[in-house]
């Protein structure tokens, strides 16, 4: 049907936003060889791609896929009618047909795909956004509207759009933000299909958006080119070998949704602080509400954080489970070598007041991300003054004075130091100043940008404005 004026205006507004999103992050895009892109996802995927590309052992399977693909499109054309060649609906239909053909051929050859294709072009996910397609973990394919299960996104354009189309790339960036909002990930995978069915693969990391040209969707009435076989091989390798949870920071078995053991982080963290009795393997964290309540999650570049309300549960020698403290679990993806756990530990050791006690802190080292990951578990610190301002409008002047006196005490005590070192917070904001409990006790959190310094290096490294 013909779109209304309102629909046209809304689409133009969205396109302007996507262009702006891409423009703000254009400098992050870096072209790489395809095998390098695949290596970011999985070493097995990269090795399988290189093996089949060099030996052509999968040629019979690829030919079966192309035959099944063309047959499927003929069936769709007969039942639904012809579609203008080169239009977005044309490539949407052909993309779905290709994924279906690969699934059928793999299953006919005794291989169970790990991923399932979902056409989401007209079926929004839970935040009402509609990428053109998603790859979902097959075991959870029935829950196709949850971004946490999305292993890859697909955005499709018509023949007017080149591979570096700003709207298409902006849409993929927005998809990446949605993928990571409630599911901590070390990378995100997206596919862009543009002019003449050209396919580009994108992988988002903490400091870049790496991309490579994959190939083209197969034509319907000509001999299959090497670019088209490359596309079919690429999708077949993904469906067959890519672990749906390849990018998760948390366990390959339980996810982050409601229950984790710190040993299930990937890889297990190197302990910086452990205030728990016995090994940290002996307790679990029950996540409240199944999702993060706050954090710097909605960012393309730099540090990302996820904060969860949780409760500690201990496993006793008698086999019973006992409930421990209410805590905050913080997972943090760094773009630098800074470590919040080290700084928070130092502040606790200096007896700086009004800082939540660390229960556990650890590093998660990853070769592909030099900045690495960090996990922190700390006592609950209440709600931020930003939230309090929204809830209560700060009617009680005494509460305001007491809270800000406490905040000042904390920051001054940290900057006064312990005789040799002192700490500069360097990220004071309404979100990092909290009040806890009925008495509105002040708390200062988020020391991730903090700096442990000494009088000798103050002028050289920080300057007074940093305090």
């Amino acid at each position: 049907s013909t779109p209304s004026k309102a629909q046209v205006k809304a689409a133009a507004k969205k396109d302007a936003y996507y262009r702006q999103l891409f423009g703000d992050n254009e400098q992050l895009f870096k072209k790489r060889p395809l095998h390098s892109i695949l290596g970011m996802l999985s070493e097995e995927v990269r090795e399988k791609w290189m093996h089949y590309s060099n030996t052509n052992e999968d040629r019979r399977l690829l030919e079966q896929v192309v035959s099944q693909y063309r047959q499927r499109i003929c069936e769709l054309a007969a039942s639904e009618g012809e579609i203008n060649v080169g239009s977005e609906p044309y490539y949407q239909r052909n993309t779905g047909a290709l994924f279906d053909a690969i699934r059928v051929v793999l299953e006919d050859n005794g291989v169970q795909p790990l991923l399932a294709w979902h056409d989401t072009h007209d079926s929004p996910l839970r935040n009402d956004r509609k990428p053109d397609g998603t790859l979902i973990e097959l075991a959870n394919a029935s829950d196709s509207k949850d971004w946490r299960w999305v292993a890859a996104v697909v955005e499709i354009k018509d023949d007017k759009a080149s591979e570096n189309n700003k709207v298409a790339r902006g849409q993929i960036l927005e998809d990446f933000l949605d993928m990571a909002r409630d599911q901590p990930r070390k990378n995100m995978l997206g596919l862009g299909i543009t002019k003449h069915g050209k396919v580009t693969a994108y992988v988002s990391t903490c400091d870049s958006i790496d991309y490579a040209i994959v190939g083209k969707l197969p034509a319907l009435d000509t001999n299959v080119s090497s670019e088209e076989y490359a596309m079919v091989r690429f999708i077949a390798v993904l469906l067959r070998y890519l672990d749906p949870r390849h990018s998760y920071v948390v366990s390959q078995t339980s996810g982050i949704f409601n229950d984790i053991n710190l040993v299930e982080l990937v890889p297990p963290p190197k302990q910086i602080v452990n205030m728990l009795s016995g090994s940290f393997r002996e307790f679990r964290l029950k996540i409240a509400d199944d999702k993060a309540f706050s954090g710097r999650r909605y960012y393309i570049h730099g540090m990302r954080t996820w904060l969860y309300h949780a409760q500690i549960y201990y496993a006793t020698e008698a086999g019973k489970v006992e409930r421990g403290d209410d805590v905050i679990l913080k997972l943090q993806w760094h773009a630098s070598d800074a470590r919040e756990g080290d700084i928070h530990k130092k502040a606790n050791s200096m007896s700086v007041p009004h800082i939540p006690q660390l229960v556990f802190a650890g590093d998660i080292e990853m070769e592909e991300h030099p900045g690495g990951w960090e996990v922190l578990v700390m006592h609950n610190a209440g709600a931020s003054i930003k939230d309090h301002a929204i809830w209560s409008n700060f009617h009680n002047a005494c509460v305001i004075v007491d809270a800000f006196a406490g905040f000042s005490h904390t920051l001054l005590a940290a900057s006064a130091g312990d005789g040799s070192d002192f700490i500069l917070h360097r990220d004071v904001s309404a979100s990092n100043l909290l009040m806890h409990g009925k008495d509105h006790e002040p708390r200062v959190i988020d020391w991730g940008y903090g700096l442990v310094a000494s009088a000798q290096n103050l002028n050289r490294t920080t300057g007074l404005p940093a305090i």
Side-chain angles (χ1 to χ4, degrees):
S1 61
T2 302
S4 66
K5 279 188 177 180
Q7 288 173 320
V8 171
K9 286 183 178 179
K13 186 176 181 180
K14 286 183 178 179
D15 285 353
Y17 166 75
Y18 292 134
R19 288 191 191 94
Q20 182 65 48
L21 182 60
F22 169 70
D24 291 343
N25 296 280
E26 185 173 4
Q27 74 281 3
L28 301 178
F29 282 74
K30 300 175 183 178
K31 193 169 185 178
R32 306 284 192 195
L34 183 55
H35 66 82
S36 176
I37 295 285
L38 293 173
M40 295 177 184
L41 305 176
S42 159
E43 187 59 28
E44 181 184 19
V45 169
R46 189 192 71 82
E47 288 177 355
K48 294 297 184 182
W49 167 262
M50 296 293 289
H51 172 74
Y52 289 128
S53 297
N54 292 332
T55 64
N56 227 16
E57 285 182 10
D58 60 346
R59 184 57 176 261
R60 186 180 66 84
L61 183 141
L62 300 183
E63 290 172 349
Q64 290 176 356
V65 168
V66 172
S67 175
Q68 179 74 24
Y69 162 74
R70 290 175 170 173
Q71 178 182 336
R72 175 63 176 154
I73 289 177
C74 288
E75 293 170 354
L76 291 171
S79 62
E80 300 175 4
E82 294 291 342
I83 300 176
N84 290 335
V85 175
S87 65
E88 185 174 326
Y90 175 81
Y91 291 126
Q92 183 82 30
R93 181 197 66 183
N94 291 6
T95 300
L98 180 60
F99 277 99
D100 284 344
I102 293 173
R103 175 187 58 79
V104 168
V105 171
L106 287 177
E107 290 176 348
D108 287 348
N109 283 271
V111 176
Q112 182 65 49
L114 299 175
L115 300 170
W117 160 259
H118 281 268
D119 186 330
T120 51
H121 181 71
D122 294 316
S123 177
L125 279 78
R126 289 201 177 128
N127 63 347
D128 290 329
R129 286 198 64 248
K130 297 185 290 187
D132 291 311
T134 59
L135 292 179
I136 302 283
E137 181 176 1
L138 188 63
N140 292 285
S142 60
D143 193 9
S144 60
K145 294 184 179 296
D146 192 331
W147 279 102
R148 294 176 297 185
W149 292 122
V150 174
V153 291
V154 180
E155 294 291 354
I156 301 170
K157 296 298 176 191
D158 59 23
D159 277 351
K160 296 177 183 178
S162 64
E163 67 188 66
N164 58 354
N165 180 267
K166 293 180 180 180
V167 173
R169 287 187 167 184
Q171 287 175 321
I172 286 175
L173 291 179
E174 187 75 5
D175 294 337
F176 287 161
L177 291 172
D178 286 328
M179 288 173 70
R181 187 160 195 162
D182 290 312
Q183 177 60 64
R185 303 175 190 252
K186 52 188 177 181
N187 58 50
M188 280 78 73
L189 171 64
L191 300 179
I193 300 176
T194 51
K195 188 174 183 178
H196 302 317
K198 181 177 282 189
V199 181
T200 306
Y202 298 89
V203 174
S204 170
T205 67
C206 64
D207 54 6
S208 66
I209 310 294
D210 299 295
Y211 71 96
I213 305 301
V214 175
K216 294 173 62 177
L217 287 172
L220 303 182
D221 54 3
T222 61
N223 291 331
V224 182
S225 68
S226 59
E227 287 182 295
E228 292 166 343
Y229 272 131
M231 168 57 178
V232 177
R233 174 178 288 130
F234 176 83
I235 298 301
V237 167
L238 286 187
L239 297 189
R240 187 173 182 179
Y241 297 109
L242 183 62
D243 186 330
R245 306 187 187 192
H246 70 278
S247 66
Y248 288 13
V249 177
V250 192
S251 163
Q252 300 296 304
T253 55
S254 66
I256 187 62
F257 306 156
N258 48 44
D259 184 349
I260 69 166
N261 185 329
L262 291 186
V263 77
E264 294 173 345
L265 295 171
V266 186
K270 177 183 178 183
Q271 298 178 56
I272 297 173
V273 174
N274 185 4
M275 303 292 289
L276 297 157
S277 57
S279 167
F280 72 93
R281 295 170 181 262
E282 296 176 356
F283 78 91
R284 303 194 70 84
L285 294 174
K286 301 284 187 180
I287 305 299
D289 301 323
D290 293 347
K291 61 183 180 180
F293 70 88
S294 185
R296 191 181 189 274
R297 299 169 288 157
Y298 218 62
Y299 290 83
I300 293 292
H301 180 244
M303 180 189 291
R304 294 181 193 165
T305 59
W306 293 261
L307 289 110
Y308 301 84
H309 290 297
Q311 297 86 41
I312 297 176
Y313 284 82
Y314 296 88
T316 66
E317 292 183 1
K320 295 183 179 180
V321 176
E322 296 181 0
R323 177 170 173 166
D325 296 329
D326 289 338
V327 293
I328 299 296
L329 167 66
K330 182 175 185 178
L331 293 172
Q332 191 154 264
W333 178 3
H334 286 285
S336 69
D337 291 329
R339 290 291 178 270
E340 181 175 349
D342 290 325
I343 298 165
H344 199 134
K345 176 184 177 182
K346 178 73 173 178
N348 281 158
S349 70
M350 291 165 55
S351 299
V352 175
H354 309 309
I355 297 178
Q357 179 64 49
L358 267 185
V359 177
F360 179 87
D363 260 350
I364 307 172
E365 297 178 357
M366 294 182 178
E367 291 182 6
E368 64 269 36
H369 299 297
W373 287 80
E374 194 170 13
V375 54
L376 299 98
V377 179
M378 65 191 80
H379 287 163
N380 198 341
S384 71
I385 59 171
K386 183 178 180 181
D387 290 334
H388 276 284
I390 294 171
W391 296 336
S392 64
N393 294 319
F394 270 145
H395 291 313
N396 191 328
C398 293
V399 170
I400 299 173
V401 172
D402 287 347
F404 279 89
F407 298 143
S408 300
H409 186 188
T410 300
L411 298 171
L412 289 171
S415 62
D418 59 1
S420 58
D421 296 326
F422 57 91
I423 302 173
L424 305 179
H425 188 284
R426 305 198 301 177
D427 189 25
V428 177
S429 69
S431 298
N432 295 334
L433 303 177
L434 279 61
M435 294 193 297
H436 180 260
K438 294 185 296 183
D439 296 329
H440 300 96
E441 297 175 8
R443 295 285 188 274
V444 180
I445 64 166
D446 202 354
W447 295 78
Y449 283 105
L451 179 71
V452 178
S454 63
Q456 288 75 18
N457 64 17
L458 173 61
N459 293 329
R460 177 165 51 86
T461 62
T462 60
L464 288 175
I467 298 177

